[in-house]
Amino acid sequence: MHLAYPAVLAVLLFCTGLYGVLARRNAILVLMSVELMLNAVNLNLVAFDVWLRDTLHAGQALTLFTIAIAAAEIGIGLAIVLMVYRNRGTSDIDKLRDNAEAPGADGGARGTDETAGTDEKAGPDEKAEAAA
């Protein structure tokens, strides 16, 4: 078997995964695209291991490690995506980026305006909160 066939297939898989990472907005589809890219790497490792006739089968051993790391990555990635979906109600990456909290919006001390309670720029809700 020629090395060109699995190499071309791996390039197509990797390019499809790269397109998915760059173009998709859903976090789960981005994780699936990363898995496609890792599978393209696995295909290259096994193809070059067979082509070089390595007696230690280092390419196949590295493929097993890559599969184990990919399984751990997808488990942690899905857990993070599910928690974000539960908290924010969406897994759209653009909306998550837009909903990011501004620095200092976590309720911590923002300066002397919060402790004074009589800020000119503060709305009625913030003045009532500061007075209470």
Side-chain angles (χ1 to χ4, degrees):
M1 180 171 76
H2 296 288
L3 183 62
Y5 299 130
V8 168
L9 180 62
V11 166
L12 290 175
L13 277 176
F14 193 85
C15 289
T16 304
L18 187 64
Y19 172 75
V21 167
L22 295 176
R24 298 292 179 190
R25 297 297 174 234
N26 191 346
I28 294 175
L29 292 177
V30 170
L31 287 174
M32 288 174 58
S33 299
V34 169
E35 289 295 320
L36 269 177
M37 291 169 38
L38 286 173
N39 285 332
V41 170
N42 289 339
L43 182 61
N44 268 336
L45 284 171
V46 171
F48 277 98
D49 182 52
V50 169
W51 184 63
L52 294 174
R53 293 186 176 89
D54 188 16
T55 57
L56 294 176
H57 298 292
Q60 293 178 20
L62 285 174
T63 299
L64 289 176
F65 284 117
T66 307
I67 290 171
I69 289 171
E73 174 257 334
I74 201 69
I76 292 171
L78 278 176
I80 291 170
V81 168
L82 286 175
M83 283 305 280
V84 166
Y85 182 76
R86 286 182 186 168
N87 290 336
R88 301 278 178 105
T90 184
S91 63
D92 189 9
I93 294 174
D94 286 337
K95 290 181 182 176
L96 294 177
R97 193 177 312 141
D98 293 340
N99 289 339
E101 294 181 13
D106 60 348
R110 293 183 296 191
T112 59
D113 293 340
E114 188 176 53
T115 57
T118 57
D119 186 32
E120 307 297 330
K121 298 176 187 173
D125 294 334
E126 291 177 352
K127 288 180 183 177
E129 226 177 81

